[in-house]
Every structure is written in C-alpha cells, then in structure tokens.
Amino acid sequence: MLTSNTDMHIARTLQELREHLAPFRKPAFVPTMGNLHEGHLALIAKAKPLGDVTVASIFVNRLQFLPHEDFDTYPRTWDADCAKLEAAGCDVLFAPNERELYPEPQTYKVHPPAELADILEGHFRPGFFVGVSTVVMKLFACVQPRVAVFGKKDYQQLMVIRGMVRQFALPIEIIACETKRAEDGLALSSRNGYLSPAQREEAVQLSVTLQRVAAAVQRGRRDLAALEEEAMEALAHRGWKPDYVTVRRCSDLQPPLDQEPLVVLGAAKLGATRLIDSLEF
C-alpha cells in the first residue's frame, strides 16, 4: 500500500504509483534528485495549475554521474524534502530505489544528437545527457504525465528533453520555469550547499559575468569569441576554473548567425564546486 505523509502520498514502487494515479487524466510532473530548495518548489508551483494531480519524483540517477563525480556524496535530505513538497502542495511523491527503477542493467538508453548533447555540458561531462535522457524517459513511462516542468537554469538539459519529447512524439507538454535566484542573483542549486561562506559570497560572480556578456552583446558587440574569452579570464582572475562562457542561439545552442533570441551560458568551478547558469536575452 501507499504510505501517506498527511495529504501527500509517497509511492516507492511503480505498481503503487500507477495504482494511485489511475483515476487521474492529466498528471503534472516535476522530476528531481532531492536536496530540494526554493527553485524546485517554484517548479511545483508552476505545475500545480497545469494538471489534475501534481507528481514529483526523487531519484539520484547514477547514470548521469561520471566516475569522479559526487554520486555517493550527493546530499540526500529525505525528511526535509518531504516536508517541503507537502507544504508546496505536491500530491504524490514517487521515490523508487535503484532496484525498483533499474531492476536489470539499463542496456537500452536514449542517445540525444551529438550536435546538442556533446557540446557545452556534454563536452565536459561525457555521457551526461545519455544518463539524463534515459532516466527522464523512464520516469515519463512510470508517471505518464501530460505536463512536465523543468527549470531554465539547466538550459541545455531543457533543450535535450524538449527534443526527446518532440522526436518520440510523447504526449507530454514541456513547460520551462524561470531560474529561481537568491537575493544577490545566484542561481539556486543543490550544489550551492557545498560552498563555504566566502565561496558563497563569491559565487554570485558567475551570474554577474553572464549579465555583463549579455549587456555587451545587446550594446552591439559582435566579436563573441573575444568577449567570451575575456569573461573566462575575468573569472579565472578571481580564482574560478571556468569550463565555458558562451553566447548561443536559444533555438539549438549553436553559435549565432543573425538577429535571433540568444542565451549566454556559463559553467565554472569555485573550489571543488562546479556551478552552472544561463541567461536568455
């Protein structure tokens, strides 16, 4: 049977989930890896009016972590997560363990196109979007939502998921939610908790850098390679280890050609913590 956290139902198995969702016609879904913050809760708030039942999942997906990354140490804050989801009005939490979601080795995987998935994040984290696409496809199969909400902070992930849904003709509307930020402008992230107080104060410089790049392009600067290099050098001078700061087309994350909606994306390490951010303009 389902366990209940007052009004929020917690399903640990696929059978339990499907039994509980059977009466509903339009689930609205927010997949997460837990360690929830206000950004996740904004996704829940966005999802609630879009369906007849609001479903979240918590699953730390081993497939999207490289061997040297933080799968084992990724923060797992179950009690706090449940309390936050319940307070946000989530109706159902799907929280399978690895054996439930991957009862046998996951040899069938979703491989997004290289021109989208092997650039930027995919270049620095090879196989990352195979892991993301595979687990999201599987969670979609479990929940069978009609609407799913993703944040714009993980901009490339949003693009990959939208493309997957479109090409597989999944009956799911993908809704994008604006990046939730702290008062100083830092994009909220589960990994922000790794930062020391001094690093947390410095961390806002990633979003400041992206804002400066966007402003320069809006003022008419077109030597984007030089602008991007200057931005990375500025971060490096402050003690960061930048992977990329780049201006791309919103439509496909390729380099700009003409007047079109753009996004500036950045990823950099501050100490041992890797942060990402994006800004449409």
Side-chain angles (χ1 to χ4, degrees):
M1 295 295 292
L2 290 162
T3 57
S4 176
N5 187 8
T6 64
D7 292 332
M8 184 177 71
H9 291 284
I10 301 173
R12 295 285 194 173
T13 69
L14 177 55
Q15 180 179 349
E16 291 169 346
L17 177 72
R18 286 180 171 167
E19 286 176 356
H20 186 71
L21 293 182
F24 300 100
R25 297 180 59 85
K26 192 179 181 182
F29 180 43
V30 177
T32 85
M33 292 205 302
N35 192 28
L36 304 182
H37 51 67
E38 289 298 321
H40 295 105
L41 303 184
L43 303 182
I44 297 293
K46 187 90 168 180
K48 277 193 68 64
L50 302 177
D52 56 2
V53 62
T54 306
V55 185
S57 64
I58 292 178
F59 182 73
V60 183
N61 177 43
R62 188 186 299 270
L63 293 185
Q64 69 194 67
F65 288 79
L66 296 177
H68 67 277
E69 292 184 332
D70 56 342
F71 174 80
D72 291 326
T73 59
Y74 192 85
R76 291 157 171 85
T77 52
W78 172 255
D79 290 339
D81 290 348
C82 288
K84 289 175 182 177
L85 287 172
E86 184 182 0
C90 181
D91 300 310
V92 180
L93 170 58
F94 181 42
N97 60 27
E98 280 194 285
R99 181 168 294 184
E100 179 66 22
L101 201 61
Y102 299 129
E104 58 186 89
Q106 189 68 35
T107 53
Y108 287 79
K109 296 179 180 179
V110 179
H111 287 259
E115 60 269 23
L116 177 60
D118 291 355
I119 61 173
L120 305 175
E121 285 300 284
H123 174 75
F124 289 95
R125 304 179 69 187
F128 173 69
F129 287 115
V130 174
V132 168
S133 300
T134 300
V135 75
V136 171
M137 178 69 89
K138 194 153 195 178
L139 289 169
F140 282 171
C142 295
V143 177
Q144 299 184 34
R146 290 298 171 263
V147 176
V149 182
F150 290 82
K152 287 186 179 181
K153 182 181 76 71
D154 299 293
Y155 201 88
Q156 190 174 3
Q157 171 180 278
L158 173 64
M159 300 287 291
V160 167
I161 298 304
R162 277 178 166 165
M164 181 181 79
V165 167
R166 182 179 65 252
Q167 288 208 0
F168 281 105
L170 301 179
I172 304 169
E173 182 182 5
I174 301 299
I175 301 294
C177 189
E178 296 297 329
T179 301
K180 188 78 170 178
R181 298 183 181 276
E183 288 186 6
D184 64 356
L186 176 67
L188 298 187
S189 167
S190 296
R191 290 186 169 96
N192 290 351
Y194 295 154
L195 299 169
S196 70
Q199 290 171 335
R200 170 60 188 85
E201 187 174 342
E202 170 64 24
V204 69
Q205 290 301 319
L206 181 58
S207 65
V208 169
T209 297
L210 300 190
Q211 291 169 20
R212 287 173 179 163
V213 170
V217 176
Q218 288 174 314
R219 288 194 302 267
R221 187 162 174 185
R222 289 295 177 263
D223 54 336
L224 297 184
L227 177 61
E228 293 164 355
E229 185 63 28
E230 289 168 15
M232 294 178 66
E233 288 177 356
L235 285 172
H237 184 71
R238 301 184 65 95
W240 293 70
K241 295 180 179 177
D243 285 340
Y244 58 85
V245 174
T246 186
V247 177
R248 299 297 176 101
R249 298 194 301 234
C250 288
S251 59
D252 58 7
L253 296 186
Q254 296 302 306
L257 294 175
D258 204 348
Q259 297 296 324
E260 54 198 334
L262 300 176
V263 58
V264 55
L265 308 105
K269 273 190 175 181
L270 185 58
T273 305
R274 188 174 184 274
L275 302 178
I276 69 171
D277 201 352
S278 64
L279 179 66
E280 293 175 320
F281 65 99

